[in-house]
Amino acid sequence: MPRLKQAGREAGNPFANRIFDLLFEDRDPVESPGTATGTPGNWWTVFNIVPDAFKHTTEGFQFYRSKERKLDPKLRELGQTRAGFTVGSQFVFSQHCKASRDVGLTEAQIEAIPHWQVADCYGSLERAVLAYTDALVLQRGRVSDGTFKALKDGLSDEEILELTYTTCTYMMHAVMSRALRLEYDDVDDRIVEVPAPGGDSADVMAVVDNNKQGEE
């Protein structure tokens, strides 16, 4: 379950209810979750506890999908999908693999997003977009001059701004999804102590201590 409460149609948010009609038809999104893409849909119901936040994030989706955008949707999806992967959000990565397919990225390109650095299925501009995405997400905006030059060789300033804004937005979405345990990110942290057989609590590396070696 998400870490925050959910709000469905009973919240009386007309904007959200129109989205719920599209995603859940006549079902209650809290009591009968599940969207056509297989997600529970609780991203929407959790955001609906703050109606202004629901509207703001939905309008953000409308912004990047608008026909007014100059950026090629394929490049946009490369940034969004790679951002989801690098943050570690199963939800954002999985959803945008589907969106990448819809805008025309090949199966080979989608499959190679996790290891794009050694893949030969991308052109020079696509590689520049992926490198820029990593600089935004993994290096928190520390973009080298070389990476930025490669980007500017193929994109206008307007396209770069759109790419930057959308990619950073999806870095935020990926972080929020993990923090609030939304959708496919409702998983336990796998980095935990694994108990030793018999409940032994000894320091395993103690075998290399000098005093231990001297006793042998």
Side-chain angles (χ1 to χ4, degrees):
M1 294 291 292
R3 284 172 159 163
L4 300 181
K5 64 185 178 181
Q6 301 179 66
R9 301 180 196 277
E10 78 289 345
N13 180 357
F15 189 86
N17 287 344
R18 291 197 296 272
I19 301 296
F20 292 158
D21 288 343
L22 295 173
L23 291 173
F24 304 98
E25 297 179 337
D26 60 351
R27 290 179 289 116
D28 181 278
V30 179
E31 297 299 325
S32 300
T35 70
T37 60
T39 69
N42 55 45
W43 171 276
W44 303 96
T45 52
V46 167
F47 264 82
N48 195 35
I49 69 175
V50 181
D52 287 349
F54 188 104
K55 187 172 187 291
H56 184 273
T57 194
T58 305
E59 288 176 343
F61 301 148
Q62 293 169 337
F63 166 82
Y64 82 74
R65 296 177 69 89
S66 169
K67 293 180 180 179
E68 298 299 315
R69 300 284 69 78
K70 298 181 182 299
L71 182 67
D72 185 336
K74 292 181 182 179
L75 300 179
R76 178 197 77 209
E77 290 299 331
L78 279 177
Q80 290 172 304
T81 311
R82 178 65 184 177
F85 179 82
T86 53
V87 170
S89 169
Q90 176 72 24
F91 175 55
V92 171
F93 177 73
S94 177
Q95 292 298 88
H96 284 275
C97 283
K98 298 174 179 64
S100 294
R101 195 171 291 116
D102 286 346
V103 299
L105 288 175
T106 68
E107 291 300 318
Q109 289 172 325
I110 296 168
E111 291 174 5
I113 286 173
H115 57 272
W116 72 266
Q117 300 92 336
V118 295
D120 60 4
C121 54
Y122 301 115
S124 58
L125 180 55
E126 292 164 335
R127 295 179 67 81
V129 166
L130 288 162
Y132 184 59
T133 297
D134 281 1
L136 292 174
V137 180
L138 298 177
Q139 297 169 204
R140 302 298 187 272
R142 189 181 181 190
V143 183
S144 70
D145 288 343
T147 297
F148 206 80
K149 181 181 182 306
L151 204 62
K152 287 209 71 170
D153 285 345
L155 296 178
S156 68
D157 285 11
E158 291 84 356
E159 290 170 312
I160 292 173
L161 181 58
E162 290 179 1
L163 173 65
T164 306
Y165 180 80
T166 303
T167 301
C168 289
T169 297
Y170 269 80
M171 175 175 65
M172 177 192 71
H173 288 328
V175 169
M176 290 183 67
S177 185
R178 293 189 64 191
L180 302 180
R181 294 184 64 150
L182 303 175
E183 307 288 359
Y184 296 147
D185 291 320
D186 184 14
V187 293
D188 293 336
D189 196 328
R190 66 179 301 274
I191 309 302
V192 297
E193 180 184 4
V194 178
D200 187 4
S201 61
D203 178 5
V204 66
M205 295 309 297
V207 296
V208 303
D209 291 349
N210 290 333
N211 62 331
K212 293 290 185 181
Q213 295 177 26
E215 293 173 1
E216 296 177 356

